[in-house]
Amino acid sequence: MPELFPFVPLAAGSEALGWLTDVLPSRTSEQRIKLRSVPRQSFQYAFKLGSDQFSKAKAFARRNGAEPVLVPVWAEHTLISGAILGSASSIDFDASAADYRVGGEILIWERDDKAVTATIAAIAPTGVTLTAAIGMDFQRPTVSPVRRAWIVDGLRSTRRRGLETDGTIRFEVTDNIDLSGAAVYPLYQGLEVLTEPTERVSDISENIVRATEYVDNGFGAVAIEATKNYADFGQTIGFLAIGKAALWHRRRFLHNRKGKQKPFWLPSFSNDLQLQAAIGAADAVLTVRSIAPTGAYLGRHVMIELKNGTRFFREIINAFAVGGGNDQLTISTALGQAVAPADIAWLCFLSRVRLNSDSVTISYRFRGVFSVSAPVIEVPA
């Protein structure tokens, strides 16, 4: 059994998920080929160690430089309020929203010199069953999933005045799996719609480019030819996850994306279209304030979100000007209920996007709070 690294990290740290996708663009679309069956997971943990702990950590790094170790997934830990007896072969707690695995290990931790791992035989939302008794009594322990990993770049440390040492270790997980599965957001045309507005966890930048080639022989006019029949629209999305369940939700969404491979719908979360008249339940026409030539609406998709939380996703299939600065847009199907302009929270465009990076970092900000930011780019299909 690999040796456990038992020290609890500071709240600051990070986790990285890495996929590998080959993107083959064409004039009208792109093909995305998955080259890695499961994402690679790694942890960057920071520690503040006392003198005794530092000596143990150095000895641990020397012993395990070329061997895999056991590293807890501290972001998915649960504090047990009572005691766990050494004779126990099961542990009752909320085992949802965490990556526990049958045949994998669970950590039972009270302090760094009183911690054990046990092998999981069965998992339920209300706890885990072990293959054998724990063998040691614990009072108010912490339990956590455990991953097998390599120590990358060893132990890096900085001694400061006093008896404490700052240390960092990066763990490269070896027992990686794919957690993708059922959609975690509503579906539209078979793709998830990200219905949560992006958080300002970092600067949000957008960039719209029409890919073109410029041919200049130096004598006459410059010839310009578009290399794609769609615009490259890129931006950065970011989210805060507060609590283990929110982090698990975000993790599942990222696994469903498989890096650059799987697209999703991203609303603009701005009132791109201003509704000028009520919509009848059987109506498939929206009267909106004009923002572009009517041809620019065709083929665009919109999200209509009401103040009561009801959402509709539709495609614009026709458009014409009606005067007075207004346009009428025909949508693919009627909404099925009457909607007044005052009922609308968002009437915005949907963009079909994918991640524009195969690497996503989850930053641990402080206890129970996590942030994720990632670049995305619009794709035609």
Side-chain angles (χ1 to χ4, degrees), residues 21-26 28-34 230 260-261 354 379-381:
T21 310
D22 191 8
V23 179
L24 307 175
S26 71
T28 59
S29 62
E30 65 179 24
Q31 184 180 8
R32 299 175 293 274
I33 302 172
K34 179 178 66 176
Y230 59 94
K260 297 179 181 179
Q261 188 187 27
R354 60 163 172 82
V379 293

Side-chain angles (χ1 to χ4, degrees), residues 340-351:
D343 299 331
I344 292 179
W346 302 110
L347 176 46
C348 61
F349 289 118
L350 289 171
S351 299

Side-chain angles (χ1 to χ4, degrees), residues 227-278:
T227 59
K228 296 180 181 179
N229 67 353
Y230 59 94
D232 288 324
F233 170 44
Q235 60 178 303
T236 300
I237 59 174
F239 302 96
L240 284 177
I242 302 176
K244 187 175 64 172
L247 176 62
W248 184 249
H249 174 82
R250 191 65 53 214
R251 190 188 303 281
R252 288 179 56 212
F253 174 75
L254 292 173
H255 275 257
N256 282 352
R257 305 283 62 78
K258 299 182 184 295
K260 297 179 181 179
Q261 188 187 27
K262 298 295 184 180
F264 60 99
W265 292 106
L266 179 65
S268 70
F269 293 109
S270 61
N271 281 308
D272 300 312
L273 301 173
Q274 300 288 333
L275 190 66
Q276 300 300 300

Side-chain angles (χ1 to χ4, degrees), residues 10-316:
L10 299 172
S14 64
E15 171 189 342
L17 297 171
W19 290 263
L20 188 62
T21 310
D22 191 8
V23 179
L24 307 175
S26 71
R27 181 178 176 83
T28 59
S29 62
E30 65 179 24
Q31 184 180 8
R32 299 175 293 274
I33 302 172
K34 179 178 66 176
L35 300 179
R36 186 180 293 165
S37 59
V38 298
R40 292 179 179 175
Q41 184 182 38
S42 64
F43 299 99
Q44 179 86 21
Y45 284 156
F47 302 87
K48 190 171 289 293
L49 304 170
S51 57
D52 291 344
Q53 292 174 315
F54 183 45
S55 296
K56 292 177 182 178
K58 287 193 296 181
F60 181 94
R62 283 179 176 273
R63 290 194 304 273
N64 295 285
E67 299 292 337
V69 300
L70 298 179
V71 56
V73 186
W74 290 107
E76 297 177 357
H77 77 274
T78 300
L79 177 64
I80 305 297
S81 59
I84 299 178
L85 299 178
S87 59
S89 59
S90 64
I91 306 174
D92 296 329
F93 67 102
D94 182 2
S96 62
D99 188 12
Y100 292 100
R101 306 173 188 174
V102 173
E105 286 81 31
I106 182 174
L107 169 73
I108 304 97
W109 185 96
E110 189 172 320
R111 56 182 186 268
D112 55 60
D113 59 352
K114 187 178 181 181
V116 298
T117 59
T119 303
I120 299 172
I123 304 171
T126 55
V128 299
T129 302
L130 309 175
T131 58
I134 295 171
M136 184 184 299
D137 294 342
F138 289 89
Q139 292 291 330
R140 292 178 55 82
T142 294
V143 296
S144 168
V146 175
R147 299 280 79 84
R148 298 186 178 220
W150 297 97
I151 296 177
V152 181
D153 301 327
L155 170 65
R156 297 178 178 271
S157 60
T158 302
R159 297 190 188 188
R160 304 191 182 279
R161 291 183 179 182
L163 300 177
E164 290 187 336
T165 300
D166 295 334
T168 58
I169 294 184
R170 186 161 70 91
F171 299 94
E172 191 73 38
V173 174
T174 62
D175 54 349
N176 297 293
I177 64 171
D178 182 12
L179 296 175
S180 63
V184 297
Y185 288 104
L187 292 176
Y188 171 57
Q189 295 189 350
L191 302 178
E192 292 185 66
V193 183
L194 184 61
T195 53
E196 298 169 0
T198 186
E199 299 276 0
R200 295 296 180 93
V201 297
S202 61
D203 291 342
I204 299 175
S205 58
E206 296 186 3
N207 188 36
I208 300 176
V209 177
R210 288 304 301 260
T212 55
E213 288 185 353
Y214 296 84
V215 181
D216 183 5
N217 61 14
F219 299 101
V222 177
I224 302 175
E225 180 179 355
T227 59
K228 296 180 181 179
N229 67 353
Y230 59 94
D232 288 324
F233 170 44
Q235 60 178 303
T236 300
I237 59 174
F239 302 96
L240 284 177
I242 302 176
K244 187 175 64 172
L247 176 62
W248 184 249
H249 174 82
R250 191 65 53 214
R251 190 188 303 281
R252 288 179 56 212
F253 174 75
L254 292 173
H255 275 257
N256 282 352
R257 305 283 62 78
K258 299 182 184 295
K260 297 179 181 179
Q261 188 187 27
K262 298 295 184 180
F264 60 99
W265 292 106
L266 179 65
S268 70
F269 293 109
S270 61
N271 281 308
D272 300 312
L273 301 173
Q274 300 288 333
L275 190 66
Q276 300 300 300
I279 308 170
D283 291 344
V285 174
L286 313 180
T287 301
V288 300
R289 179 65 60 187
S290 178
I291 63 168
T294 54
Y297 298 109
L298 300 182
R300 299 295 300 273
H301 300 261
V302 295
M303 178 182 77
I304 303 172
E305 182 173 327
L306 307 185
K307 293 177 180 177
N308 64 9
T310 303
R311 298 186 186 93
F312 305 94
F313 310 115
R314 297 293 189 272
E315 182 179 0
I316 300 172

